[in-house]
Amino acid sequence: MMHNELSHLRPKLESALELLTLELSPQQVDLLMEYLLLLQKWNKVYNLTAIRDPEEMLTKHLIDSLAVVPHIDSESIIDVGTGGGLPGIPLAICFPERRIDLLDSNSKKTRFLIQAKAQLGFE
């Protein structure tokens, strides 16, 4: 289990996953938390989202993105106008076997996405 300055939010994420009846591995939950940390850190410089508070990022970005997971049955997805990777990155974490493409016209945001992809270990 990874520890960082946002690890106090992990229990909140885990209870949201229960409410959404999403069964993710501890490694997938680690990746979601790591993504949240990346989003929060890069947001300070790159202005990826207007939301600054990590707890609000968790509920308004991460958990909102996860809410669509039960409704997705496509083998490939394109997230157009993904911004900071929402909902594309959380979906990629939930569906590692599927092809998920992220598209955004803002070069600052695509630089963040390339970095997130590398740090989270995506192809």
Side-chain angles (χ1 to χ4, degrees):
M1 184 166 133
M2 57 177 289
H3 292 280
N4 61 49
E5 64 262 31
L6 300 183
S7 53
H8 68 283
L9 295 176
R10 187 184 180 105
K12 194 170 192 170
L13 173 59
E14 288 169 339
S15 26
L17 290 170
E18 268 183 55
L19 288 171
L20 294 167
T21 61
L22 294 181
E23 289 183 32
L24 299 183
S25 71
Q27 294 78 13
Q28 286 172 303
V29 177
D30 284 347
L31 284 173
L32 289 169
M33 290 303 300
E34 192 174 337
Y35 170 64
L36 184 64
L37 182 64
L38 280 172
L39 187 63
Q40 189 249 338
K41 281 185 174 175
W42 279 64
N43 195 42
K44 292 173 185 168
V45 179
Y46 279 66
N47 199 27
L48 302 168
T49 168
I51 296 174
R52 298 271 175 249
D53 176 56
E55 193 158 346
E56 267 191 90
M57 283 180 169
L58 175 70
T59 55
K60 293 184 177 164
H61 288 324
L62 203 53
I63 294 169
D64 280 2
S65 293
L66 294 169
V68 302
V69 169
H71 309 285
I72 293 182
D73 56 9
S74 175
E75 281 308 306
S76 64
I77 297 163
I78 184 164
D79 178 4
V80 178
T82 189
L86 296 156
I89 291 177
L91 294 178
I93 291 169
C94 292
F95 302 118
E97 72 290 351
R98 298 184 192 182
R99 179 186 174 114
I100 299 179
D101 294 301
L102 282 66
L103 181 66
D104 201 277
S105 61
N106 181 309
S107 60
K108 279 185 182 176
K109 291 176 180 170
T110 56
R111 278 197 292 279
F112 166 72
L113 296 172
I114 291 165
Q115 180 64 34
K117 177 181 146 181
Q119 274 193 248
L120 298 171
F122 291 124
E123 288 178 23

